[in-house]
Amino acid sequence: MTQIAETVTFKLAANVTKEDFVNIMKGTESFVRNADGFVFRRLSAGDDGLWTDTVIWADMDCAQSAAAAFPKQDFAPAVMAAIAPDTVTMRHDFIHWTVGAS
C-alpha cells in the first residue's frame, strides 16, 4: 500500500492568534494519534499567514476515514471557528518518494 499525504492549507480567522490556534490544535492530538493508520503530523505557517497541516496516513482508506470522522469530534467547532472558511483547501496525495535524515 502507498502512504497518503493529507495536506490542508488555510488562513486563520481574523481574531485568532498563532498561539491560540496552536493550543486549539493540540486538542486534536489524541484523535489523530489514535486514528487507524496515523504515521506523522506537522503544523506549519509561513510569513504570508498561510498555514499547512500535513498528516501522513498508512493508506487512502485511513486518510478518508479520519477526514470523515474529524468534523464529528468535540474539538471540531473550535478548530473550524479559528480558520477562515473561504481559505481552506484539502488534498489527499499518494506518496511516491520520501527522503529522511541519515
Side-chain angles (χ1 to χ4, degrees):
M1 292 249 179
T2 302
Q3 287 185 329
I4 300 298
E6 176 182 280
T7 308
V8 184
T9 58
F10 52 88
K11 291 191 174 188
L12 299 183
N15 60 339
V16 178
T17 67
K18 177 176 31 176
E19 294 78 14
D20 290 340
F21 186 68
V22 170
N23 284 328
I24 290 168
M25 292 302 282
K26 286 180 180 179
T28 71
E29 180 179 352
S30 179
F31 168 79
V32 175
R33 184 180 297 279
N34 293 302
D36 287 342
F38 170 71
V39 176
F40 173 84
R41 187 179 193 189
R42 173 183 292 132
L43 181 64
S44 58
D47 288 339
D48 61 356
L50 187 66
W51 286 73
T52 304
D53 188 2
T54 304
V55 184
I56 307 303
W57 298 103
D59 57 43
M60 186 64 83
D61 288 341
C62 292
Q64 290 176 338
S65 178
F70 191 92
K72 300 172 187 169
Q73 305 306 305
D74 290 342
F75 55 70
V79 172
M80 298 316 294
I83 294 172
D86 59 334
T87 66
V88 178
T89 62
M90 180 177 191
R91 298 176 53 95
H92 286 117
D93 298 319
F94 294 96
I95 296 176
H96 297 285
W97 185 56
T98 301
V99 175
S102 52

